[in-house]
Amino acid sequence: MTGKINSVYTGSGVDGPGIRTVVFFQGCPLRCVYCHNPETQPLSGGEGISSVTLLERISRYKNYYGDEGGITFSGGEPLMQAEFLYEMIKLCKNEGIKTAVDTAGSVMSDTVMSCIKEADLIILDIKMDSEEDYKKYMNGSYKKTVDFLDACCKAGTDVWLRKVIVPGINDKGESVENLVSLAQRFGCVRKVELLPFENMCSEKYERIGLKFPLAGVEPMDKGRLEILSRQIPEEYK
């Protein structure tokens, strides 16, 4: 089976438990105003690669993963290529490599459900707090994302919730309260993380001829982010 991959990054310590290799899938249905990887948005881009070849590339680092590390499939939106992703998850499982799927939870199908059930961890990005803001800032659906979280719990798969905090958009305490409240509604959530908005990706937009929607927004203040992170209960840290 062949899929479209944008890039592969090795040695990550922030994309799931332990040391991980991150595979960035090509294609995403959303258009988040703070997207850090705009080059992954069009499905037409990227590199065509077979599942066997990709497995060979990522399994060579297997000795570095330890008991907790493994592969994180990110993007883009990896679930846009659910059939290929499912094949990769199964191949990794056969090799004893743990898998995580970093997703916005905007895609659902029978094959997506199969991916959810087979993966060891789902890292779910909660973009905003309402249907209105989802439509305004990323052309997505808050309800679809919450329904996706519900599906993960019903499948018995562990979930980490993440939210990128953007100054002037979702940087109030209420936004963190909403995220924690969402976690408490669903028993499969194991961790809650806040990530700082960065504007370094503006160079990527320039290179591919796109305007960065948040070009005038300053990076999230790390001190302010630390204060907001204190609202997260210890059970989710």
Side-chain angles (χ1 to χ4, degrees), residues 204-225:
K204 291 185 179 181
Y205 282 82
E206 291 178 6
R207 285 200 303 268
I208 60 178
L210 293 178
K211 181 181 179 181
F212 183 35
L214 299 184
V217 178
E218 293 295 319
M220 182 63 194
D221 180 77
K222 301 299 175 61
R224 172 62 178 160
L225 188 73

Side-chain angles (χ1 to χ4, degrees), residues 19-38:
I19 302 300
R20 311 189 74 83
T21 293
V22 185
V23 179
F24 293 92
F25 276 50
Q26 191 71 30
C28 183
L30 302 180
R31 292 296 180 266
C32 302
V33 294
Y34 56 77
C35 178
H36 195 69
N37 300 313

Side-chain angles (χ1 to χ4, degrees), residues 79-126:
L79 291 171
M80 274 192 75
Q81 301 183 62
E83 290 80 7
F84 182 68
L85 176 60
Y86 182 55
E87 177 74 9
M88 289 306 307
I89 292 173
K90 289 193 298 180
L91 288 173
C92 287
K93 193 171 186 177
N94 290 340
E95 292 292 321
I97 300 174
K98 292 182 178 179
T99 57
V101 179
D102 187 348
T103 174
S106 59
V107 181
M108 180 54 70
S109 68
D110 290 341
T111 309
V112 168
M113 277 304 306
S114 296
C115 292
I116 291 172
K117 292 175 182 177
E118 286 292 329
D120 295 294
L121 174 69
I122 299 295
I123 301 173
L124 182 58
D125 301 316
I126 304 297

